[in-house]
Amino acid sequence: MKILVVDDHLKMRLTISHMLKTAGYDDVVGAGDGDEALRKIETGGIDMVICDWNMPRMKGVEVLQAIREKDDFKEMPFLMVTAEVNEHTVMQALETDVDGYIIKPFKASTLIGKLESILDRRKNPTTIDVLIKSGSRKLESGDVEGALVDFERALNEDEDSPRVHFFMGEALAAKGENTEAVNRLKRALELAPNYVKAYDSMAELLKKNGNEGEALNLLAQAVSKSPLNPDRQVAYGSALLEAGELEKAHDVFRAARKHFPANAELETRIGEAYLRAGLNQEAETAFEASTNLNPEVSHVYNQLGIAYRKQGKYKAAIDNYRKALRVSPDDANLYYNMGVAHLEAREADASIRALSQAVELNPGFSEAAQLLDRIKSCMADGARPAYSAMSG
């Protein structure tokens, strides 16, 4: 089998490689950072990854997350190497389905023992593991009834398995049986209070059922147990904004930025949360941070333009729509948003040009066509169109 060793320190890569080769694992390759590791995995042929946690640019857990998100590699065995372990880092790794971890410094026997334990579990999975894997695949493909059959069989194997109750809850939620789904998730948490994914799923269900307060409480518990999850931090911060608890939301987003600095995707999602809450200045700050980190993403310029426009900063809004169009020149929605900004700035001719381009790119764009017709009609009557009059 071919093993990829990922560590930014050459000496450690060589040490681990030597340990592996001494134990008979001769096909070993190295990578000095996460980007290089992902490139080598993409080229194929890698059977297992041994990766350091603390690396520049991309931490080991981010490499793990990237692998788990790809269908071709999501089952790849992954062993994490770390210099220290605390509750939060362990929870973060477990949430991303790490197969195991070892703590530096370690002996060759520790490394090989852990590696072979992982490979043995993969080669000889338990009946419950097989049923959960089968049910999960069916659930992803939309076969909810088939998934439930597998999860019921798994429950017959072990009625006190928190994982089985969790997946039963997911399947029942997909079927629309929310009350029973919540009961299953509650049972999963009774059996495993640190099973944070169950908090997330239950919070989502309760929010759909109108129990925002209870959902918010569950998200707070999940964040306290496992704060190193950007999706959860954004969900919690967004829920706080919806509840009107602005200062707490600001604190949550500040904590997320501290845990995940210079993260363009995180800034975008924080900006979207602020924009939904009508906090346009805060949204502007987040979107600007995102575009500075990743200037090639058109939809963020679009969102930044919306944040500017809602504050009456029409020139800045239009400038950002133009930046977005340089990345996505055939996006009719961008021309529509630009047209609205020009109209709000009382620049009717420029608005007509932008809206006409939107309709040309997408003839079925009825909202753009109707607004364009209203502007032209208003101008034909000798009036000066304004967006407040056009949007009724």
Side-chain angles (χ1 to χ4, degrees):
M1 70 178 302
K2 190 172 187 177
I3 301 175
L4 175 64
V5 178
V6 189
D7 198 298
D8 56 310
H9 294 291
L10 175 60
K11 184 177 179 181
M12 180 55 69
R13 292 203 305 275
L14 294 175
T15 298
I16 293 175
S17 296
H18 177 71
M19 290 177 177
L20 293 169
K21 290 178 179 179
T22 300
Y25 295 94
D26 295 324
D27 198 355
V28 182
V29 294
D33 58 40
D35 294 322
E36 183 184 359
L38 293 176
R39 286 195 299 270
K40 290 191 173 183
I41 291 168
E42 289 280 359
T43 60
I46 302 297
D47 298 300
M48 181 171 184
V49 178
I50 299 174
C51 184
D52 186 42
W53 181 289
N54 289 309
M55 296 187 296
R57 293 196 300 278
M58 184 182 292
K59 293 183 181 295
V61 71
E62 293 173 293
V63 177
L64 174 58
Q65 288 166 344
I67 291 172
R68 293 292 184 251
E69 289 170 1
K70 298 178 183 293
D71 289 338
D72 291 342
F73 311 117
K74 65 190 306 180
E75 302 293 336
M76 185 175 290
F78 196 106
L79 174 61
M80 192 77 76
V81 179
T82 180
E84 59 177 310
V85 173
N86 60 53
E87 181 183 358
H88 291 161
T89 58
V90 170
M91 291 296 293
Q92 185 185 18
L94 290 175
E95 282 196 74
T96 321
D97 296 327
V98 72
D99 291 280
Y101 59 88
I102 54 175
I103 304 171
K104 297 178 183 177
F106 51 84
K107 297 178 180 179
S109 59
T110 303
L111 172 67
I112 302 306
K114 181 67 73 170
L115 180 149
E116 292 183 346
S117 174
I118 290 170
L119 295 178
D120 182 65
R121 289 202 309 272
R122 290 302 185 98
K123 186 178 179 180
N124 302 295
T126 66
T127 301
I128 287 180
D129 287 337
V130 172
L131 289 169
I132 287 177
K133 185 175 181 179
S134 172
S136 297
R137 286 177 174 172
K138 289 175 182 176
L139 192 57
E140 288 175 4
S141 68
D143 182 8
V144 178
E145 293 298 338
L148 282 168
V149 169
D150 284 338
F151 297 145
E152 286 283 3
R153 289 175 60 196
L155 203 60
N156 289 334
E157 291 287 327
D158 183 1
E159 64 180 12
D160 290 329
S161 167
R163 284 195 305 152
V164 177
H165 284 284
F166 170 78
F167 283 106
M168 282 287 290
E170 294 284 277
L172 288 164
K175 192 178 178 181
E177 297 182 7
N178 291 352
T179 300
E180 183 57 29
V182 168
N183 290 336
R184 291 291 183 177
L185 294 168
K186 284 181 178 178
R187 181 57 180 155
L189 288 173
E190 288 172 1
L191 294 164
N194 287 331
Y195 201 157
V196 287
K197 289 182 180 180
Y199 287 101
D200 294 336
S201 295
M202 189 155 54
E204 185 177 345
L205 284 172
L206 288 170
K207 185 178 179 181
K208 287 180 181 178
N209 292 341
N211 299 329
E212 288 86 357
E214 193 173 349
L216 187 61
N217 180 53
L218 286 166
L219 284 172
Q221 292 180 64
V223 167
S224 69
K225 291 177 180 294
S226 183
L228 303 181
N229 182 311
D231 293 339
R232 181 174 299 118
Q233 292 277 14
V234 171
Y236 182 40
S238 299
L240 287 167
L241 288 177
E242 292 174 12
E245 299 189 37
L246 304 189
E247 287 306 316
K248 285 186 179 180
H250 296 329
D251 289 341
V252 169
F253 290 143
R254 276 193 289 267
R257 284 165 166 150
K258 182 179 179 180
H259 288 310
F260 306 96
N263 187 312
E265 178 62 25
L266 176 66
E267 292 293 348
T268 299
R269 295 188 61 196
I270 290 174
E272 290 168 347
Y274 277 133
L275 197 60
R276 287 193 299 271
L279 299 174
N280 300 314
Q281 179 62 57
E282 290 83 354
E284 174 190 327
T285 300
F287 289 135
E288 283 182 342
S290 180
T291 55
N292 288 336
L293 291 165
N294 186 0
E296 299 302 318
V297 183
S298 64
H299 77 273
V300 181
Y301 286 116
N302 181 45
Q303 296 283 62
L304 181 54
I306 293 171
Y308 277 130
R309 180 174 64 79
K310 289 186 174 183
Q311 297 176 80
K313 300 177 181 179
Y314 302 120
K315 183 179 183 303
I318 292 164
D319 286 344
N320 275 278
Y321 294 138
R322 286 179 178 144
K323 290 177 182 177
L325 285 166
R326 285 199 287 270
V327 180
S328 302
D330 297 325
D331 190 328
N333 288 311
L334 290 173
Y335 279 104
Y336 173 78
N337 287 340
M338 181 183 285
V340 171
H342 278 300
L343 184 57
E344 290 185 344
R346 298 186 177 275
E347 298 168 351
D349 291 336
S351 179
I352 288 173
R353 288 193 295 272
L355 292 169
S356 297
Q357 187 65 37
V359 174
E360 181 179 334
L361 288 167
N362 180 6
F365 198 161
S366 59
E367 192 173 0
Q370 290 168 10
L371 182 57
L372 180 60
D373 288 343
R374 287 198 292 270
I375 296 172
K376 288 180 177 179
S377 176
C378 187
M379 293 183 71
D381 292 338
R384 295 185 61 186
Y387 182 71
S388 57
M390 295 295 102
S391 60

Short mmCIF file of all heavy atoms in Angstrom, two decimals, residues 183-225:
data_model
loop_
_atom_site.label_atom_id
_atom_site.label_comp_id
_atom_site.label_asym_id
_atom_site.label_seq_id
_atom_site.Cartn_x
_atom_site.Cartn_y
_atom_site.Cartn_z
N ASN A 183 -36.74 12.68 19.04
CA ASN A 183 -36.62 11.68 20.11
C ASN A 183 -35.37 10.81 19.92
O ASN A 183 -34.69 10.47 20.89
CB ASN A 183 -37.87 10.81 20.15
CG ASN A 183 -39.09 11.55 20.66
OD1 ASN A 183 -38.96 12.55 21.38
ND2 ASN A 183 -40.28 11.10 20.28
N ARG A 184 -35.10 10.43 18.69
CA ARG A 184 -33.92 9.62 18.42
C ARG A 184 -32.64 10.40 18.73
O ARG A 184 -31.68 9.86 19.30
CB ARG A 184 -33.91 9.17 16.95
CG ARG A 184 -34.97 8.17 16.61
CD ARG A 184 -34.70 6.82 17.27
NE ARG A 184 -35.71 5.83 16.87
CZ ARG A 184 -35.70 4.57 17.25
NH1 ARG A 184 -34.74 4.14 18.06
NH2 ARG A 184 -36.64 3.73 16.85
N LEU A 185 -32.62 11.65 18.33
CA LEU A 185 -31.44 12.48 18.58
C LEU A 185 -31.24 12.71 20.09
O LEU A 185 -30.10 12.72 20.58
CB LEU A 185 -31.56 13.81 17.84
CG LEU A 185 -31.55 13.70 16.31
CD1 LEU A 185 -31.96 15.01 15.67
CD2 LEU A 185 -30.16 13.28 15.82
N LYS A 186 -32.35 12.88 20.80
CA LYS A 186 -32.25 13.01 22.26
C LYS A 186 -31.66 11.75 22.88
O LYS A 186 -30.84 11.82 23.80
CB LYS A 186 -33.64 13.29 22.86
CG LYS A 186 -34.14 14.71 22.67
CD LYS A 186 -35.51 14.88 23.33
CE LYS A 186 -35.99 16.32 23.19
NZ LYS A 186 -37.34 16.51 23.78
N ARG A 187 -32.08 10.60 22.36
CA ARG A 187 -31.55 9.34 22.87
C ARG A 187 -30.06 9.23 22.58
O ARG A 187 -29.29 8.75 23.44
CB ARG A 187 -32.30 8.16 22.23
CG ARG A 187 -31.85 6.79 22.71
CD ARG A 187 -31.97 6.65 24.21
NE ARG A 187 -31.54 5.33 24.67
CZ ARG A 187 -31.09 5.08 25.89
NH1 ARG A 187 -31.01 6.07 26.79
NH2 ARG A 187 -30.72 3.87 26.24
N ALA A 188 -29.63 9.67 21.41
CA ALA A 188 -28.21 9.65 21.08
C ALA A 188 -27.42 10.48 22.08
O ALA A 188 -26.34 10.08 22.54
CB ALA A 188 -27.99 10.19 19.67
N LEU A 189 -27.98 11.63 22.49
CA LEU A 189 -27.29 12.50 23.44
C LEU A 189 -27.34 11.94 24.86
O LEU A 189 -26.42 12.18 25.65
CB LEU A 189 -27.89 13.91 23.39
CG LEU A 189 -27.56 14.70 22.13
CD1 LEU A 189 -28.33 16.01 22.08
CD2 LEU A 189 -26.07 14.97 22.04
N GLU A 190 -28.39 11.23 25.18
CA GLU A 190 -28.43 10.58 26.49
C GLU A 190 -27.32 9.54 26.60
O GLU A 190 -26.69 9.38 27.65
CB GLU A 190 -29.79 9.89 26.68
CG GLU A 190 -30.95 10.85 26.92
CD GLU A 190 -32.29 10.13 26.92
OE1 GLU A 190 -32.29 8.88 26.76
OE2 GLU A 190 -33.33 10.80 27.06
N LEU A 191 -27.07 8.83 25.50
CA LEU A 191 -26.04 7.79 25.49
C LEU A 191 -24.65 8.37 25.34
O LEU A 191 -23.67 7.79 25.84
CB LEU A 191 -26.33 6.81 24.34
CG LEU A 191 -27.61 5.98 24.49
CD1 LEU A 191 -27.99 5.35 23.16
CD2 LEU A 191 -27.40 4.89 25.56
N ALA A 192 -24.54 9.52 24.65
CA ALA A 192 -23.22 10.12 24.40
C ALA A 192 -23.37 11.64 24.43
O ALA A 192 -23.61 12.27 23.40
CB ALA A 192 -22.66 9.67 23.05
N PRO A 193 -23.27 12.26 25.62
CA PRO A 193 -23.51 13.71 25.75
C PRO A 193 -22.57 14.59 24.92
O PRO A 193 -22.88 15.76 24.69
CB PRO A 193 -23.30 13.95 27.25
CG PRO A 193 -23.55 12.63 27.89
CD PRO A 193 -23.06 11.61 26.92
N ASN A 194 -21.45 14.04 24.47
CA ASN A 194 -20.53 14.83 23.66
C ASN A 194 -20.71 14.59 22.15
O ASN A 194 -19.86 15.00 21.36
CB ASN A 194 -19.08 14.52 24.04
CG ASN A 194 -18.70 15.12 25.37
OD1 ASN A 194 -19.25 16.16 25.77
ND2 ASN A 194 -17.80 14.48 26.09
N TYR A 195 -21.79 13.93 21.78
CA TYR A 195 -22.05 13.67 20.36
C TYR A 195 -22.62 14.96 19.75
O TYR A 195 -23.82 15.11 19.55
CB TYR A 195 -23.04 12.52 20.22
CG TYR A 195 -23.03 11.81 18.89
CD1 TYR A 195 -23.49 10.52 18.77
CD2 TYR A 195 -22.58 12.45 17.73
CE1 TYR A 195 -23.49 9.85 17.57
CE2 TYR A 195 -22.58 11.80 16.53
CZ TYR A 195 -23.03 10.50 16.44
OH TYR A 195 -23.03 9.85 15.24
N VAL A 196 -21.72 15.88 19.41
CA VAL A 196 -22.16 17.24 19.07
C VAL A 196 -22.96 17.32 17.78
O VAL A 196 -23.78 18.23 17.61
CB VAL A 196 -20.95 18.20 19.00
CG1 VAL A 196 -20.43 18.51 20.38
CG2 VAL A 196 -19.85 17.65 18.13
N LYS A 197 -22.75 16.39 16.86
CA LYS A 197 -23.54 16.42 15.62
C LYS A 197 -25.03 16.29 15.93
O LYS A 197 -25.88 16.83 15.21
CB LYS A 197 -23.10 15.30 14.69
CG LYS A 197 -21.73 15.52 14.05
CD LYS A 197 -21.41 14.38 13.09
CE LYS A 197 -20.04 14.58 12.44
NZ LYS A 197 -19.71 13.47 11.50
N ALA A 198 -25.35 15.57 16.99
CA ALA A 198 -26.75 15.40 17.36
C ALA A 198 -27.35 16.73 17.84
O ALA A 198 -28.52 17.01 17.59
CB ALA A 198 -26.89 14.33 18.43
N TYR A 199 -26.53 17.53 18.54
CA TYR A 199 -27.01 18.87 18.95
C TYR A 199 -27.36 19.69 17.72
O TYR A 199 -28.41 20.36 17.67
CB TYR A 199 -25.93 19.60 19.75
CG TYR A 199 -25.71 19.09 21.15
CD1 TYR A 199 -24.64 18.26 21.44
CD2 TYR A 199 -26.56 19.46 22.19
CE1 TYR A 199 -24.42 17.80 22.74
CE2 TYR A 199 -26.36 19.01 23.49
CZ TYR A 199 -25.28 18.18 23.75
OH TYR A 199 -25.07 17.72 25.03
N ASP A 200 -26.47 19.67 16.71
CA ASP A 200 -26.69 20.45 15.49
C ASP A 200 -27.98 20.04 14.80
O ASP A 200 -28.81 20.88 14.43
CB ASP A 200 -25.53 20.26 14.52
CG ASP A 200 -24.22 20.82 15.04
OD1 ASP A 200 -24.26 21.73 15.89
OD2 ASP A 200 -23.16 20.36 14.59
N SER A 201 -28.15 18.73 14.61
CA SER A 201 -29.32 18.22 13.88
C SER A 201 -30.62 18.53 14.64
O SER A 201 -31.62 18.93 14.05
CB SER A 201 -29.20 16.72 13.66
OG SER A 201 -28.11 16.43 12.80
N MET A 202 -30.58 18.35 15.95
CA MET A 202 -31.78 18.59 16.75
C MET A 202 -32.12 20.09 16.75
O MET A 202 -33.30 20.46 16.67
CB MET A 202 -31.60 18.07 18.18
CG MET A 202 -32.90 18.10 18.98
SD MET A 202 -32.95 16.90 20.34
CE MET A 202 -31.46 17.29 21.23
N ALA A 203 -31.10 20.93 16.80
CA ALA A 203 -31.34 22.38 16.77
C ALA A 203 -32.01 22.77 15.45
O ALA A 203 -32.95 23.59 15.43
CB ALA A 203 -30.03 23.13 16.94
N GLU A 204 -31.55 22.19 14.36
CA GLU A 204 -32.15 22.50 13.05
C GLU A 204 -33.61 22.09 13.00
O GLU A 204 -34.47 22.83 12.50
CB GLU A 204 -31.34 21.80 11.96
CG GLU A 204 -31.78 22.15 10.55
CD GLU A 204 -30.92 21.49 9.49
OE1 GLU A 204 -29.82 21.01 9.83
OE2 GLU A 204 -31.35 21.46 8.32
N LEU A 205 -33.91 20.90 13.52
CA LEU A 205 -35.29 20.42 13.52
C LEU A 205 -36.19 21.29 14.40
O LEU A 205 -37.32 21.63 14.02
CB LEU A 205 -35.34 18.98 14.00
CG LEU A 205 -34.88 17.91 13.00
CD1 LEU A 205 -34.81 16.55 13.69
CD2 LEU A 205 -35.81 17.84 11.81
N LEU A 206 -35.69 21.63 15.58
CA LEU A 206 -36.51 22.44 16.50
C LEU A 206 -36.76 23.83 15.92
O LEU A 206 -37.85 24.39 16.09
CB LEU A 206 -35.80 22.53 17.85
CG LEU A 206 -35.80 21.24 18.66
CD1 LEU A 206 -34.87 21.37 19.86
CD2 LEU A 206 -37.21 20.87 19.11
N LYS A 207 -35.78 24.36 15.23
CA LYS A 207 -35.97 25.67 14.61
C LYS A 207 -37.05 25.60 13.54
O LYS A 207 -37.90 26.49 13.43
CB LYS A 207 -34.65 26.15 14.00
CG LYS A 207 -34.74 27.56 13.42
CD LYS A 207 -33.39 28.01 12.88
CE LYS A 207 -33.52 29.41 12.29
NZ LYS A 207 -32.22 29.88 11.73
N LYS A 208 -37.05 24.53 12.74
CA LYS A 208 -38.09 24.35 11.73
C LYS A 208 -39.46 24.25 12.36
O LYS A 208 -40.46 24.67 11.77
CB LYS A 208 -37.80 23.08 10.91
CG LYS A 208 -36.65 23.22 9.93
CD LYS A 208 -36.43 21.92 9.17
CE LYS A 208 -35.26 22.04 8.21
NZ LYS A 208 -35.02 20.74 7.50
N ASN A 209 -39.52 23.68 13.56
CA ASN A 209 -40.80 23.52 14.26
C ASN A 209 -41.19 24.77 15.06
O ASN A 209 -42.20 24.76 15.76
CB ASN A 209 -40.74 22.32 15.20
CG ASN A 209 -40.65 21.00 14.44
OD1 ASN A 209 -40.98 20.93 13.26
ND2 ASN A 209 -40.22 19.95 15.12
N GLY A 210 -40.39 25.83 14.96
CA GLY A 210 -40.71 27.07 15.64
C GLY A 210 -40.19 27.18 17.05
O GLY A 210 -40.50 28.15 17.76
N ASN A 211 -39.38 26.21 17.49
CA ASN A 211 -38.82 26.26 18.85
C ASN A 211 -37.44 26.92 18.83
O ASN A 211 -36.41 26.29 19.12
CB ASN A 211 -38.72 24.84 19.42
CG ASN A 211 -40.07 24.16 19.53
OD1 ASN A 211 -41.08 24.82 19.74
ND2 ASN A 211 -40.09 22.86 19.37
N GLU A 212 -37.41 28.21 18.44
CA GLU A 212 -36.14 28.91 18.27
C GLU A 212 -35.33 28.97 19.56
O GLU A 212 -34.10 28.85 19.53
CB GLU A 212 -36.36 30.33 17.73
CG GLU A 212 -36.78 30.40 16.28
CD GLU A 212 -38.29 30.28 16.10
OE1 GLU A 212 -38.98 30.06 17.13
OE2 GLU A 212 -38.77 30.37 14.95
N GLY A 213 -36.01 29.18 20.68
CA GLY A 213 -35.29 29.30 21.95
C GLY A 213 -34.56 28.03 22.32
O GLY A 213 -33.38 28.05 22.71
N GLU A 214 -35.23 26.88 22.19
CA GLU A 214 -34.60 25.60 22.50
C GLU A 214 -33.48 25.29 21.50
O GLU A 214 -32.44 24.75 21.87
CB GLU A 214 -35.65 24.49 22.49
CG GLU A 214 -35.15 23.19 23.11
CD GLU A 214 -36.24 22.15 23.25
OE1 GLU A 214 -37.42 22.50 23.05
OE2 GLU A 214 -35.90 20.99 23.55
N ALA A 215 -33.71 25.66 20.23
CA ALA A 215 -32.68 25.44 19.21
C ALA A 215 -31.43 26.25 19.53
O ALA A 215 -30.30 25.75 19.42
CB ALA A 215 -33.22 25.81 17.84
N LEU A 216 -31.63 27.48 19.96
CA LEU A 216 -30.50 28.34 20.32
C LEU A 216 -29.72 27.77 21.49
O LEU A 216 -28.48 27.77 21.50
CB LEU A 216 -31.01 29.75 20.66
CG LEU A 216 -29.97 30.83 20.89
CD1 LEU A 216 -29.12 31.05 19.65
CD2 LEU A 216 -30.65 32.14 21.29
N ASN A 217 -30.43 27.23 22.46
CA ASN A 217 -29.78 26.62 23.63
C ASN A 217 -28.94 25.41 23.21
O ASN A 217 -27.82 25.21 23.71
CB ASN A 217 -30.84 26.20 24.65
CG ASN A 217 -30.23 25.56 25.88
OD1 ASN A 217 -29.34 26.12 26.52
ND2 ASN A 217 -30.70 24.37 26.21
N LEU A 218 -29.45 24.60 22.30
CA LEU A 218 -28.71 23.43 21.83
C LEU A 218 -27.45 23.84 21.08
O LEU A 218 -26.39 23.23 21.24
CB LEU A 218 -29.60 22.57 20.93
CG LEU A 218 -30.68 21.77 21.64
CD1 LEU A 218 -31.70 21.23 20.64
CD2 LEU A 218 -30.06 20.61 22.42
N LEU A 219 -27.55 24.88 20.25
CA LEU A 219 -26.36 25.35 19.52
C LEU A 219 -25.32 25.88 20.50
O LEU A 219 -24.11 25.68 20.29
CB LEU A 219 -26.76 26.44 18.53
CG LEU A 219 -27.46 25.96 17.25
CD1 LEU A 219 -27.96 27.15 16.45
CD2 LEU A 219 -26.50 25.12 16.40
N ALA A 220 -25.77 26.55 21.55
CA ALA A 220 -24.83 27.06 22.56
C ALA A 220 -24.08 25.90 23.22
O ALA A 220 -22.86 25.97 23.44
CB ALA A 220 -25.59 27.88 23.61
N GLN A 221 -24.81 24.82 23.53
CA GLN A 221 -24.15 23.66 24.13
C GLN A 221 -23.15 23.02 23.17
O GLN A 221 -22.05 22.62 23.56
CB GLN A 221 -25.22 22.62 24.53
CG GLN A 221 -26.13 23.05 25.67
CD GLN A 221 -27.14 21.97 26.00
OE1 GLN A 221 -26.78 20.88 26.43
NE2 GLN A 221 -28.41 22.27 25.79
N ALA A 222 -23.53 22.94 21.89
CA ALA A 222 -22.64 22.33 20.90
C ALA A 222 -21.36 23.15 20.74
O ALA A 222 -20.26 22.59 20.68
CB ALA A 222 -23.36 22.21 19.56
N VAL A 223 -21.50 24.46 20.71
CA VAL A 223 -20.33 25.33 20.56
C VAL A 223 -19.43 25.23 21.78
O VAL A 223 -18.20 25.23 21.67
CB VAL A 223 -20.76 26.80 20.32
CG1 VAL A 223 -19.59 27.75 20.47
CG2 VAL A 223 -21.36 26.93 18.92
N SER A 224 -20.02 25.13 22.96
CA SER A 224 -19.20 25.03 24.18
C SER A 224 -18.42 23.72 24.20
O SER A 224 -17.30 23.66 24.72
CB SER A 224 -20.08 25.14 25.42
OG SER A 224 -20.91 23.99 25.57
N LYS A 225 -18.99 22.66 23.64
CA LYS A 225 -18.31 21.37 23.63
C LYS A 225 -17.29 21.25 22.50
O LYS A 225 -16.25 20.60 22.66
CB LYS A 225 -19.35 20.23 23.50
CG LYS A 225 -20.22 20.07 24.73
CD LYS A 225 -21.28 19.00 24.52
CE LYS A 225 -22.16 18.84 25.75
NZ LYS A 225 -21.42 18.33 26.92
#
